[in-house]
Amino acid sequence: QLQLQESGPGLVKPSETLSLTCSVSGGSISSNNYFWGWVRQPPGKGLEWIGTIYYAGSTYYSPSLRSRVTISADTSKSQFSLKLGSVAAADTAVYFCARQRKGVGANPDAFDIWGQGTMVTVSS
Amino acid sequence: QSALTQPPSVSGSPGQSVTISCTGSTSDIAIYNRVSWYQQPPGTAPKLLIYDVSSRPSGVPDRFSASKSGTTASLTISGLQADDEADYFCCSYRSDNTLVFGGGTKLTVL
């Protein structure tokens, strides 16, 4: 069955770039029926959508993070990645990658399969 | 980008029903049937319970049901069980091609 696994540094210094990769096993990210997204959750707080990518390259970003976020996909490795620049303490969170259904109108919809999440701390 | 509004907490006794509301706007819940609900026990990843307002993925019990009216979506859990105790989040698609989550609701089973 499809599984997602986040990987990347657990500690990032302020003002630097956070980089995470999501590896997808048991299936391909080159599916017409799905999008691939990133969600984060600061300690003790709620979920925040970061952004989403379609394998062909279309991207969708949270307005509040758009200026600092880049999501890309490598179909040959069945991976997609997140880069968040100029990080600060407020970016400390568990970062989840997830598969998203394609909704009516061919736009990203619900997150149906999630990775276990990876904790990223921003600190000097 | 304002989050959808959920009550911080709800509670109920085993066997009872509880309803969690999720209030959005005329830019999201009111005009799109793309509301989803997630269950997140402590220390775990969220799990999809409901998509497209009221559809259940395979394996989700029919004790979980959902609907929407106007700018508000609702999740109802009937026949409460101890392991229903978790955080619940709603999510909606928005007219600017973005997604937004609710702030989350902590369900306590008394």
Side-chain angles (χ1 to χ4, degrees):
Chain A
Q1 86 243 25
L2 194 82
Q3 292 185 318
L4 290 78
Q5 178 68 57
E6 305 88 352
S7 61
L11 181 65
V12 182
K13 290 182 169 53
S15 80
E16 295 190 345
T17 296
L18 179 161
S19 295
L20 295 175
T21 296
C22 183
S23 299
V24 179
S25 59
S28 170
I29 67 169
S30 304
S31 168
N32 290 333
N33 296 320
Y34 298 103
F35 291 80
W36 307 89
W38 289 95
V39 175
R40 70 180 183 178
Q41 185 170 36
K45 296 189 178 180
L47 301 173
E48 179 184 16
W49 174 68
I50 299 171
T52 295
I53 190 166
Y54 187 60
Y55 81 95
S58 303
T59 52
Y60 308 76
Y61 295 132
S62 166
S64 63
L65 297 172
R66 182 173 289 135
S67 64
R68 299 193 289 133
V69 172
T70 301
I71 296 175
S72 59
D74 186 337
T75 56
S76 66
K77 295 181 179 179
S78 207
Q79 293 177 336
F80 60 106
S81 299
L82 168 70
K83 291 188 185 300
L84 178 65
S86 303
V87 297
D91 296 308
T92 294
V94 175
Y95 285 76
F96 296 99
C97 61
R99 189 181 77 172
Q100 290 180 255
R101 299 169 56 90
K102 180 185 283 188
V104 173
N107 287 317
D109 200 345
F111 301 86
D112 65 349
I113 300 177
W114 294 68
Q116 66 185 25
T118 187
M119 180 69 200
V120 179
T121 301
V122 178
S123 175
S124 55
Chain B
Q1 187 187 28
S2 301
L4 305 175
T5 300
Q6 298 182 235
S9 63
V10 297
S11 63
S13 299
Q16 288 186 334
S17 294
V18 295
T19 296
I20 299 171
S21 62
C22 171
T23 301
S25 70
T26 53
S27 298
D28 40 63
I29 292 176
I31 59 173
Y32 294 106
N33 289 326
R34 291 192 218 158
V35 179
S36 51
W37 289 90
Y38 304 85
Q39 177 191 58
Q40 187 182 33
T44 69
K47 171 189 173 184
L48 178 64
L49 288 177
I50 299 286
Y51 66 95
D52 294 351
V53 175
S54 59
S55 296
R56 278 187 308 275
S58 172
V60 174
D62 59 6
R63 300 188 298 107
F64 295 90
S65 62
S67 62
K68 79 165 189 177
S69 177
T71 59
T72 298
S74 299
L75 171 71
T76 297
I77 308 170
S78 58
L80 267 181
Q81 300 177 359
D83 61 3
D84 293 333
E85 192 159 287
D87 293 326
Y88 290 83
F89 295 90
C90 59
C91 180
S92 177
Y93 182 79
R94 274 189 165 166
S95 56
D96 57 355
N97 272 347
T98 63
L99 294 157
V100 62
F101 281 96
T105 299
K106 181 177 179 60
L107 169 62
T108 300
V109 180
L110 302 171

